[in-house]
Amino acid sequence: MIQTACLVAIAAIAVSALMNLYRLAKGPDVLDRILALDTLVINTIGLVVVIGIWFGTSMYFEVALLFVAVGFLTTIAFCKYLLRGNVIE
């Protein structure tokens, strides 16, 4: 039962990631592309967590935490660059 639920979740996340890739490539402006990239990172985190549940190990949760940190910092850096023109003052 859990494997079927994981397969359905992986399929839904994959479809969502494809839609994010489309928005990332065709976004009308830079802010839409940054939002698509942030959402793509969130989808990747969800995919890693589902794979961790499927295999029954907690090692994947640590990888998901690393993705959270990198995704958050990347989004902040992009937004700060757009607002101020530089990342580090």
Side-chain angles (χ1 to χ4, degrees):
M1 182 69 182
I2 194 73
Q3 291 180 349
T4 304
C6 288
L7 282 176
V8 170
I10 287 172
I13 291 171
V15 169
S16 176
L18 286 176
M19 289 192 286
N20 283 328
L21 285 175
Y22 175 76
R23 179 54 58 197
L24 188 63
K26 298 283 184 180
D29 59 357
V30 177
L31 292 177
D32 290 329
R33 289 184 173 140
I34 290 174
L35 245 145
L37 185 65
D38 191 40
T39 309
L40 188 63
V41 169
I42 291 171
N43 286 332
T44 304
I45 293 165
L47 188 64
V48 169
V49 169
V50 169
I51 290 173
I53 291 171
W54 191 351
F55 288 124
T57 179
S58 63
M59 182 181 70
Y60 291 97
F61 299 127
E62 295 172 4
V63 173
L65 284 175
L66 288 175
F67 273 120
V68 167
V70 171
F72 177 73
L73 290 176
T74 304
T75 303
I76 295 298
F78 276 136
C79 290
K80 192 170 180 181
Y81 179 75
L82 286 176
L83 286 176
R84 298 182 181 171
N86 59 3
V87 177
I88 299 173
E89 296 179 46

